[in-house]
């Protein structure tokens, strides 16, 4: 299989700090990572440059003037992770490349619905197309895959397009309240998005109304009793 080569570069420009770049890969690829020294550090003579994958030193460095590169063939998720170059001389400068699968964004705010209603949760991967989607529900610390074919009266999973999936939960109960996960499988690994569902009783929105009604009843009762008391007092007089 032939891969189109991709190039990524970081400029080593601030002494004592580390530059960082996140690289998202949706499928297998050949990539070249380069660290180039900023012109203002061109005075550094024969700096020593070390490349690492995590904490492991790796070689195969190709060098041009003030630039150091490594070439990688990313075939599976074992090749993902952080790759760093560190320049040591009169000063120390470093840069980090983070190779990762596409991230699936979840909703920060909970999805709120009521008992007996239907809730629809959505996950999408805009720039990269997953091979497959899987939905999970949380039971304590365990994540359980949702099989909508076995529980057709409760769940319906629809892949609206290659990049979008919907989970529909029918006939909501308080037990459906909790955290859900959507998982996208890519050629190089899997990525998860987190969603929260809040199931409310119909009594929740009625509570303020019932409180107002109760206050009104108490007020009317007080006025009525006061009227009776006033009439009795007037009759006695």
């Amino acid at each position: 299989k032939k891969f189109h080569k991709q190039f990524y570069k970081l400029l080593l420009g601030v002494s004592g700090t580390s530059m960082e770049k996140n690289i998202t890969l949706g499928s297998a690829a050949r990539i070249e990572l380069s660290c180039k020294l900023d012109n203002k550090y061109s005075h550094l003579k024969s700096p020593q440059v070390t490349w690492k994958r995590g904490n492991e030193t790796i070689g195969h460095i190709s060098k041009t003037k003030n630039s150091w590169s490594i070439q990688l063939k990313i075939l599976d998720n074992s090749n993902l992770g952080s790759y760093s170059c560190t320049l040591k001389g009169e000063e120390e400068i470093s840069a980090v490349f983070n190779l990762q699968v596409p991230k699936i964004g979840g909703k920060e705010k909970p999805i709120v619905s009521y008992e007996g209603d239907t809730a629809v949760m959505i996950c999408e991967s805009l720039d990269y197309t997953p091979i497959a989607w899987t939905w999970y529900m949380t039971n304590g610390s365990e994540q359980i895959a949702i099989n909508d074919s076995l529980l057709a009266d409760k769940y319906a999973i629809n892949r609206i397009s290659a990049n979008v999936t919907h989970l529909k939960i029918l006939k909501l109960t308080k037990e459906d309240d909790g955290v859900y996960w959507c998982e996208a499988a890519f050629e190089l690994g899997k990525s998860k998005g987190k969603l929260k569902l809040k199931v409310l009783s119909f009594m929740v929105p009625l509570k303020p109304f019932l409180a107002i009604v109760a206050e009104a009843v108490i007020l009317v009762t007080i006025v009525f009793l006061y009227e009776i008391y006033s009439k009795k007092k007037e009759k006695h007089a």
Side-chain angles (χ1 to χ4, degrees), residues 23 45 72 74 79 84 121 229:
I23 299 171
K45 302 300 180 184
L72 304 169
I74 309 299
N79 304 126
S84 63
M121 287 181 277
Y229 173 76

Side-chain angles (χ1 to χ4, degrees), residues 37-215:
L37 190 62
D38 191 287
N39 290 332
K40 65 183 177 181
Y41 290 101
S42 58
H43 64 279
L44 297 176
K45 302 300 180 184
S46 302
Q48 180 186 352
V49 175
T50 304
W51 278 91
K52 287 186 175 183
R53 177 176 179 253
N55 294 319
E56 177 190 358
T57 301
I58 55 176
H60 307 293
I61 301 171
S62 61
K63 180 186 179 302
T64 59
K65 185 180 178 181
N66 290 333
S67 180
W68 298 265
S69 304
I70 57 170
Q71 296 183 4
L72 304 169
K73 188 178 283 188
I74 309 299
L75 299 177
D76 54 46
N77 59 6
S78 67
N79 304 126
L80 299 177
S82 64
Y83 292 79
S84 63
C85 62
T86 302
L87 182 150
K88 290 182 180 179
E90 299 167 31
E91 304 177 59
E92 182 171 314
I93 314 170
S94 62
V96 180
F97 298 86
N98 296 310
L99 275 54
Q100 58 192 22
V101 294
K103 291 188 176 180
I104 307 301
K107 255 179 111 73
E108 289 186 12
K109 293 183 179 179
I111 298 164
V112 179
S113 195
Y114 293 94
E115 290 180 305
D117 283 353
T118 296
V120 177
M121 287 181 277
I122 304 170
C123 272
E124 57 186 353
S125 171
L126 294 177
D127 299 320
Y128 300 89
T129 302
I131 299 167
W133 288 98
T134 307
W135 281 93
Y136 295 87
M137 62 184 295
T138 304
N139 184 4
S141 59
E142 190 179 1
Q143 292 178 11
I144 302 170
I146 295 172
N147 190 329
D148 60 331
S149 61
L150 293 179
L151 299 166
D153 60 335
K154 186 64 181 178
Y155 302 105
I157 298 174
N158 299 312
R159 189 165 181 173
I160 305 303
S161 68
N163 295 64
V164 182
T165 178
H166 286 189
L167 170 65
K168 186 184 288 185
I169 306 177
L170 312 170
K171 302 171 187 174
L172 290 172
T173 67
K174 287 295 290 182
E175 284 70 34
D176 297 315
D177 189 292
V179 176
Y180 292 79
W181 298 84
C182 58
E183 180 183 78
F186 297 95
E187 187 177 336
L188 294 176
K190 297 176 179 180
S191 185
K192 284 185 177 181
K194 182 180 179 180
L195 302 98
K196 293 181 181 179
L197 175 63
K198 188 71 177 173
V199 181
L200 302 178
S201 165
F202 277 111
M203 289 301 293
V204 172
L206 287 176
K207 282 180 180 177
F209 173 74
L210 293 175
I212 293 169
V213 170
E215 288 178 6

